[in-house]
């Protein structure tokens, strides 16, 4: 292949310009657009990448203007050429091509003694190329040089540059400002230039001074040039450094006649629109007519090829997202930045800032969670506790109780909560215990400020009892009799229900008869009254409901005495309504030795007559002042009832009666009446025993006998008044004491400082 420079160069010995035409007239001959370059096309030459619309050889380029050839410049070294101009780089994005441009020279030839010029012109008009006005500068080097650049094709442009060297020592490397070097800009749209030296640039004189005898002028890429003083001091230095050629940047564009601009091209009327790829756009040429193609934002590749533009993976390298904590997400034609958890994207600074709102949010959320869960736990625990309490409540028949309480408004019965009772008893303090027995412990409690109550904690009861507990509570709570301890309420929330009674302060009949203070003799009539009141209470119990409520454990210890020493039958709470089926008889074992109905022990059937029997034993206690059972005596003397019955049989009652009764306070008639009544009550056969009502009536009759006529009237009056007024406080009673004058009973009685309330 012929060397390009050789073909291009014409040297004229004289000042005549050497004109080397780079005629690319082929471009003018329009060739139809090629749809797709042939697959056989070669896309590289001498290390230079060639991209469509450029191509090497037939059918590979878009048009003749982009037709390159790959030529061997030395053996084995190939370079791409556009016509006879070597191509250094091709850029689709910039729309530029770098080419090697020959340098024009004007030298003093000492051998001939004359100036020799070697000048070039560059004609790119009619091709897709224009000289880049941005990157190129007309550069002149010399000590006495004036060079012109002219374009006389379609317009008349002439410019020039002068370079002198007043004092060589003033020359500076890198400075091209008229001393040894001169640069000037060129206008846009230039596709032709011709270089000529002014004849005044005769260096014949200065070359003798040892300065460079050559002047140089060329249009070249400004960035590639840096002035060196050696270019002046050494004549051949500049020419030799670049081997006579320097890079020039050409702006290329699609400059087909039919599509000079994007507006026309995109109409695509001729079918020659060069931007064939999807996601491509048309860009007006920055220099000269025509247009360029570019991939749309977010795409890259070759817009001149069908499907040439493909998505840019912006995240692959040099992620545009914040380097610290940023995450890049590629999308088709775009990308998205996000930040890792705990950071927030700052779009202005493109940084991932710590997200304080998130951190505080998370912190607050966490705290809230902790608080809520602990609250939830507490609530759960409380609910569990309440559930247990409610289970107990239900087990103990609390629901039935409540139902009834609702239906019978104004029922004077309180269902206490566990907490209330705990408070009332100082957490069941030992000092509050006022009684203890097989069936439970009784505490004194204070509620509502200063109202005393007696709280009985039952021992464990079985399931059947639990079920009926509420039912029983209900009935017992309705019993309202002056001689029966009032059941005020209960507590069902606990495993074993608790009963709350009115507080009765003055101990029991048992204590009164057998207590320590026997020295103070109790008037017999008082005992008789207490017995009568107890009989009234029991009678009321028996007649109150059907089936009858049987006390089941009648004994002197269960007859409590209130502030006025009035009898109050107690501890029927654990007794039940008379059982109606056989199964229940077996489970009903109760009573106290000495008071037990012998018939009950045989039949296991508790009847109201069993209570009558037990009451008979109490009558004996009142009569004789002896305990119902003496464990230390001889065997026949142990049981008070059998002792009494045998004495009755032998008609020798005096042996068991104490002196103060026998012939003292009790009249014969009264003693005999009482003994007879007791005997009837203690009959072995229940059917022969009187009813409780009859017992009470008989006692009432006998009491009247015991009183003096004048006292009797008063007593009856007081008695009837208190009955009429309906109060339960028969506050005092006039007795005939041993001293012979009436006394207020309470003052006369042995005071029991300890309030007693015995459990069975
Ligand atoms: C270039 O300029 C020289 C001198 O001015 C002239 O002789 C020559 O014809 C010009 N060449 C072209 C192609 O215009
Ligand atoms: C170029 O294409 C034309 C028509 O498609 C064909 O006739 C010609 O042979 C091709 N030239 C080369 C070098 O492939
Ligand atoms: C392309 O250039 C080569 C060599 O310069 C030439 O042989 C060929 O004919 C040209 N083809 C076209 C279509 O211009
Ligand atoms: C241009 O081409 C030269 C040589 O072929 C190469 O060294 C240089 O890196 C290229 N420049 C660009 C921007 O491609
Ligand atoms: C495109 O132009 C820019 C700036 O002018 C330059 O840095 C880059 O190297 C050029 N690209 C090519 C492929 O020449
Ligand atoms: C093509 O687009 C890229 C980025 O979108 C831009 O840098 C470049 O200058 C554009 N080229 C032309 C010729 O407009
Ligand atoms: C050149 O400059 C040097 C120092 O700056 C000076 O000594 C010398 O005379 C100057 N030569 C001429 C020709 O002006
Ligand atoms: C001039 O420069 C060339 C190339 O840089 C070099 O080979 C030559 O020796 C230089 N001549 C003188 C006189 O310095
Ligand atoms: C410039 O350099 C080229 C190539 O090295 C050479 O052919 C030409 O003769 C030189 N011109 C001058 C004036 O030295
Ligand atoms: C341009 O027109 C040709 C035929 O008229 C059609 O095949 C082609 O798809 C069009 N291209 C565009 C980008 O509109
Ligand atoms: C961006 O960063 C600067 C310096 O780090 C800071 O002063 C500025 O407030 C930031 N801007 C925003 C919007 O966060």
């Amino acid at each position: 292949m012929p060397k390009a420079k050789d073909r291009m160069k014409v040297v004229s010995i004289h000042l005549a310009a050497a004109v080397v035409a780079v005629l690319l007239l082929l471009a003018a001959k329009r060739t139809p657009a090629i749809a797709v370059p042939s697959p056989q096309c070669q896309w590289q030459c001498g290390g230079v990448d060639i991209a469509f619309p450029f191509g090497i050889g037939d059918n590979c380029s878009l048009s003749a203007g982009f037709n390159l050839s790959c030529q061997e410049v030395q053996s084995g070294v190939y370079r791409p050429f556009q016509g006879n101009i070597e191509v250094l780089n091709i850029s689709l994005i910039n729309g530029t091509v770098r080419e090697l441009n020959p340098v024009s020279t004007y030298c003093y030839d000492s051998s001939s003694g004359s100036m020799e010029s070697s000048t070039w012109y560059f004609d790119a008009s009619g091709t897709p190329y224009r000289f880049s006005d941005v990157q190129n500068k007309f550069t002149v080097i010399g000590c006495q040089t004036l060079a012109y650049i002219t374009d006389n094709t379609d317009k008349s442009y002439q410019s020039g540059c002068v370079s002198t060297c007043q004092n060589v020592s003033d020359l500076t490397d890198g400075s091209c400002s008229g001393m040894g070097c001169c640069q000037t800009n060129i206008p846009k749209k230039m596709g032709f230039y011709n270089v000529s030296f002014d004849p005044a640039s005769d260096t014949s004189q200065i070359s003798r001074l040892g300065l460079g005898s050559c002047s140089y002028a060329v249009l070249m890429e400004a960035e590639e040039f840096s002035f060196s003083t050696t270019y002046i001091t050494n004549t051949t230095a500049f020419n030799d450094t670049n081997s006579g050629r320097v890079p020039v940047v050409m702006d290329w564009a699609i400059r087909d006649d039919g599509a000079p601009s994007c507006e026309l091209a995109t109409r695509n009327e001729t079918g020659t629109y060069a931007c064939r790829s999807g996601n491509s756009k048309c860009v007006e040429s920055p220099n000269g007519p025509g247009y360029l193609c570019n991939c749309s934002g977010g795409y890259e590749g070759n817009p001149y090829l069908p499907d040439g533009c493909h998505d840019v993976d912006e995240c692959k390298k040099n992620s545009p997202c914040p380097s610290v904590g940023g995450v890049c997400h590629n999308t088709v034609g775009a990308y998205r930045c996000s930040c890792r958890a705990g950071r927030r994207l700052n779009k202005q600074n493109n940084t991932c800032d710590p997200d304080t709102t998130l951190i505080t949010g998370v912190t607050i959320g966490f705290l809230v969670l902790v608080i809520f869960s602990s609250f939830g736990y507490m609530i759960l625990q409380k609910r569990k506790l309440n559930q247990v309490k409610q289970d107990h409540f239900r087990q103990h028949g609390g629901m039935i109780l409540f139902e009834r309480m609702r239906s019978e408004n104004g029922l004077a019965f309180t269902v206490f909560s566990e907490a209330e009772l705990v408070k009332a008893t100082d957490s069941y303090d030992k000092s509050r215990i006022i009684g203890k027995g097989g069936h439970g412990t009784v505490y004194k409690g204070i509620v509502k400020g200063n109202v005393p109550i007696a709280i009985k904690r039952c021992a464990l009861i079985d399931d059947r009892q639990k079920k009926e507990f509420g039912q029983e509570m209900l009935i017992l709570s309705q019993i309202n009799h002056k001689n029966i301890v009032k059941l005020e309420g209960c507590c069902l929330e606990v495993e074993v229900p608790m009963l709350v009674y009115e507080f009765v302060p003055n101990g029991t009949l048992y204590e009164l008869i057998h207590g320590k203070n026997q020295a103070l003799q109790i008037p017999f009539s008082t005992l008789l009254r207490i017995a009568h009141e107890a009989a009234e209470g029991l009678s009321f119990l028996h007649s109150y409901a059907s089936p009858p409520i049987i006390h089941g454990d009648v004994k002197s210890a269960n007859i409590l005495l209130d502030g006025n020493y009035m009898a109050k039958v107690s501890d029927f709470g654990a007794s039940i309504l008379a059982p109606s089926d056989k199964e229940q008889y077996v489970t009903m074992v109760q009573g106290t030795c000495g008071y037990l109905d012998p018939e009950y022990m045989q039949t296991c059937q508790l009847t109201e007559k069993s209570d009558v029997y037990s009451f008979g034993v109490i009558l004996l206690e009142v009569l004789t002042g002896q305990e119902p059972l003496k464990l230390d005596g001889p065997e026949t003397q142990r049981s008070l009832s059998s002792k009494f019955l045998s004495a009755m049989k032998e008609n020798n009652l005096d042996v068991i009666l104490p002196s103060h009764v026998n012939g003292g306070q009790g009249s014969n008639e009264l003693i005999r009446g009482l003994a007879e009544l007791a005997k009837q009550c203690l009959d072995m056969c229940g059917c022969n025993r009187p009813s409780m009502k009859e017992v009470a009536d008989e006692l009432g009759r006998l009491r009247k006998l015991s009183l003096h006529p004048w006292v009797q009237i008063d007593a009856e009056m007081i008695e009837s008044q208190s009955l009429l007024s309906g109060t339960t406080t028969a506050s005092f009673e006039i007795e005939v004491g041993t001293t012979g004058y009436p006394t207020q009973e309470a003052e006369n009685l042995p005071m029991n400082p300890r309030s007693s309330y015995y459990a069975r």
Side-chain angles (χ1 to χ4, degrees):
M1 273 194 193
K3 284 183 186 173
K5 57 182 180 183
D6 293 339
R7 289 202 315 166
M8 282 156 54
K9 187 183 156 197
V10 173
V11 180
S12 77
I13 303 300
H14 304 286
L15 288 175
V19 176
V20 177
V22 182
L23 294 170
L24 296 165
L25 295 170
L26 291 164
K29 189 174 89 188
R30 237 173 288 126
T31 48
I34 308 161
V36 190
S38 156
Q40 286 93 35
C41 293
Q42 177 188 350
W43 298 115
Q44 243 205 355
C45 176
V48 177
D49 289 326
I50 292 153
F52 195 78
F54 295 85
I56 295 171
D58 286 345
N59 301 352
C60 282
S61 57
L62 179 67
S63 64
F66 301 106
N67 181 17
L68 306 183
S69 57
C70 195
Q71 296 174 15
E72 193 175 27
V73 290
Q74 291 164 31
S75 61
V77 179
Y78 289 84
R79 290 279 178 250
F81 278 86
Q82 196 261 312
N84 49 10
I85 308 284
E86 189 182 331
V87 174
L88 294 174
N89 305 92
I90 297 168
S91 168
L92 293 193
I93 286 181
N94 291 351
T96 56
V97 169
R98 287 174 83 231
E99 295 180 339
L100 282 179
N101 190 19
V103 179
S104 299
T105 57
Y106 189 52
C107 294
Y108 172 72
D109 187 356
S110 53
S111 57
S112 66
S114 65
M115 295 300 291
E116 281 184 22
S117 82
S118 166
T119 59
W120 305 82
Y121 70 87
F122 198 125
D123 188 0
S125 54
T127 71
Y129 307 97
R130 297 289 180 273
F131 302 107
S132 169
D133 59 308
V134 178
Q135 297 184 61
N136 298 318
K137 278 194 166 94
F138 181 57
T139 307
V140 171
I141 293 166
C143 268
Q144 191 174 336
T145 309
L146 170 57
Y148 302 105
I149 178 168
T150 50
D151 174 11
N152 54 6
T153 47
D154 51 352
K155 58 182 171 300
S156 190
Y157 167 76
Q158 182 163 35
S159 182
C161 222
V162 175
S163 171
T164 57
C165 311
Q166 298 301 329
N167 196 331
V168 177
S169 60
D170 290 342
L171 300 179
T172 322
D173 281 353
S175 167
C176 190
S177 54
M179 287 195 288
C181 174
C182 174
Q183 275 187 326
T184 186
N185 286 328
I186 59 160
K188 273 191 193 299
K189 298 180 186 176
M190 261 176 71
F192 172 90
Y193 83 88
N194 189 4
V195 174
S196 55
F197 289 97
D198 191 272
S201 310
D202 191 336
T203 52
S204 54
Q205 300 303 311
I206 59 164
S207 64
R208 290 187 197 108
L209 298 170
L211 291 171
S213 54
C214 276
S215 295
Y216 303 96
V218 71
L219 183 68
M220 74 176 293
E221 188 182 9
E223 209 176 65
E224 280 296 298
F225 176 76
S226 176
F227 176 71
S228 167
T229 48
T230 56
Y231 293 165
I232 300 297
T233 52
N234 184 332
T235 307
T236 60
F238 179 69
N239 192 41
D240 291 349
T241 308
N242 304 290
S243 310
R245 294 181 302 171
V246 289
V248 67
V249 178
M250 311 295 289
D251 289 330
W252 59 268
I254 311 297
R255 303 189 206 267
D256 291 341
D257 286 351
S261 69
C262 277
E263 198 203 337
L264 286 170
T266 47
R267 278 190 210 155
N268 194 16
E269 277 159 356
T270 54
T272 55
Y273 181 48
C275 309
R276 289 188 193 151
S277 175
N279 301 310
S280 68
K281 61 188 178 189
C282 183
V283 182
E284 297 289 353
S285 166
N287 191 6
Y291 64 91
L292 286 162
C293 298
N294 207 349
C295 287
S296 314
Y299 291 85
E300 65 183 1
N302 191 334
Y304 302 94
L305 289 173
D307 301 321
C309 292
H310 49 83
D311 173 50
V312 183
D313 189 348
E314 290 91 349
C315 303
K316 211 161 190 178
K317 50 184 178 181
N318 295 334
S319 166
C321 295
S323 52
V324 182
V327 181
C328 185
H329 310 272
N330 183 49
T331 58
V332 175
Y335 66 92
R336 193 163 53 77
C337 287
S338 66
C339 290
R340 283 186 230 286
R343 285 169 179 274
R344 203 161 37 96
L345 187 65
N346 179 343
K347 282 196 170 131
Q348 272 142 315
N349 282 5
N350 194 32
T351 52
C352 278
D353 297 345
D355 191 348
T356 47
T357 54
L358 186 75
I359 290 170
T360 36
V362 165
T363 313
I364 288 170
F366 182 74
L367 285 178
V368 165
L369 199 74
V370 166
I371 289 166
F372 263 87
S373 49
S374 44
F375 261 113
Y377 183 75
M378 276 162 61
I379 288 168
L380 210 69
Q381 289 296 333
K382 192 146 189 190
R383 225 176 249 174
K384 240 187 222 168
L385 195 66
N386 279 345
Q387 189 59 51
V388 170
K389 284 182 174 179
Q390 274 187 6
D391 282 350
H392 286 143
F393 191 78
R394 208 167 296 127
Q395 271 182 356
H396 299 148
M399 287 312 180
I400 306 168
L401 192 58
F402 255 131
E403 282 302 310
R404 289 292 295 274
M405 283 171 73
R406 202 179 303 148
S407 60
E408 295 170 33
N409 264 351
L411 188 65
F413 185 78
T414 316
V415 175
F416 289 90
S417 73
E418 193 187 358
E420 278 176 298
L421 295 189
V422 166
K423 193 180 160 216
T425 58
D426 268 349
S427 306
Y428 307 111
D429 194 81
K430 272 186 185 157
S431 67
R432 296 297 190 94
I433 295 177
I434 53 176
K436 220 167 198 176
H439 286 75
T441 311
V442 182
Y443 297 84
K444 182 183 178 180
I446 305 288
V447 290
K448 290 167 200 151
N450 56 359
V451 180
I453 51 166
I455 299 158
K456 180 172 175 183
R457 286 179 102 182
C458 297
L460 277 169
I461 56 176
D462 64 36
D463 279 349
R464 187 191 62 81
Q465 285 171 298
K466 278 183 185 176
K467 265 185 223 150
E468 293 170 1
F469 199 90
Q471 186 81 34
E472 293 165 25
M473 280 306 97
L474 193 71
I475 292 170
L476 297 177
S477 69
Q478 288 168 316
I479 295 172
N480 196 356
H481 188 268
K482 61 180 165 125
N483 296 122
I484 294 174
V485 169
K486 176 98 181 89
L487 182 69
E488 303 265 15
C490 64
C491 173
L492 301 174
E493 289 173 1
V494 284
E495 193 184 358
V496 178
M498 289 188 282
L499 306 170
V500 178
Y501 294 98
E502 72 174 297
F503 184 73
V504 185
N506 269 340
T508 66
L509 177 61
Y510 181 89
E511 286 172 321
L512 203 61
I513 299 171
H514 311 293
K516 281 180 272 176
N517 296 334
Q518 268 191 314
L520 294 164
Q521 277 194 352
I522 305 117
F524 184 67
S525 56
T526 302
L527 294 179
L528 196 58
R529 175 180 56 78
I530 292 170
H532 179 215
E533 285 165 352
E536 293 278 3
L538 286 172
S539 165
F540 181 79
L541 263 190
H542 286 177
S543 61
Y544 179 75
S546 176
I549 300 167
I550 300 167
H551 189 290
D553 193 11
V554 175
K555 58 181 178 183
S556 54
N558 274 342
I559 294 167
L560 305 185
L561 302 171
D562 72 1
N564 297 312
Y565 285 85
M566 186 169 70
K568 283 197 181 277
V569 177
S570 87
D571 221 358
F572 50 87
S575 73
I576 61 154
L577 307 174
S580 53
D581 65 70
K582 279 187 179 149
E583 212 182 306
Q584 292 182 16
Y585 299 154
V586 188
T587 61
M588 291 285 304
V589 178
Q590 49 189 350
T592 304
C593 290
Y595 295 91
L596 269 180
D597 175 10
E599 195 179 52
Y600 164 60
M601 290 196 281
Q602 282 164 12
T603 61
C604 269
Q605 190 168 0
L606 199 65
T607 65
E608 60 260 59
K609 292 296 173 69
S610 306
D611 284 350
V612 173
Y613 182 92
S614 304
F615 190 77
V617 178
I618 292 180
L619 284 181
L620 291 189
E621 284 181 81
V622 169
L623 261 178
T624 65
Q626 291 177 34
E627 301 215 22
L629 213 54
K630 262 203 190 116
L631 291 175
D632 49 351
E635 206 169 321
T636 50
Q637 302 285 297
R638 277 187 192 173
S639 167
L640 180 59
S641 57
S642 53
K643 225 168 26 174
F644 166 77
L645 287 175
S646 64
M648 279 292 278
K649 216 179 225 171
E650 293 162 18
N651 210 359
N652 191 14
L653 205 53
D654 295 351
V655 266
I656 56 166
L657 294 183
S659 55
H660 71 274
V661 175
N662 198 6
Q665 295 172 25
S667 68
N668 254 347
E669 197 186 344
L670 173 62
I671 302 296
R672 236 178 297 119
L674 277 174
E676 187 55 37
L677 182 60
K679 189 186 156 210
Q680 282 172 22
C681 289
L682 296 172
D683 195 290
M684 290 306 282
C685 179
C687 52
N688 292 332
R689 296 172 201 157
S691 72
M692 215 59 223
K693 174 96 174 75
E694 287 164 350
V695 173
D697 290 350
E698 177 65 7
L699 279 173
R701 195 186 65 79
L702 291 174
R703 271 184 70 204
K704 285 175 189 165
L705 288 180
S706 74
L707 302 171
H708 271 277
W710 63 276
V711 176
Q712 190 183 344
I713 294 159
D714 283 358
E716 269 181 332
M717 259 172 59
I718 293 161
E719 206 68 75
S720 58
Q721 270 172 3
S722 75
L723 282 171
L724 277 175
S725 66
T727 59
T728 56
T729 52
S731 54
F732 55 86
E733 191 170 328
I734 298 172
E735 302 277 354
V736 179
T738 43
T739 50
Y741 59 86
T743 56
Q744 205 169 357
E745 184 190 39
E747 281 170 11
N748 233 6
L749 283 167
M751 299 302 287
N752 189 347
R754 195 171 64 100
S755 28
S756 295
Y757 192 96
Y758 275 123
R760 281 187 295 183

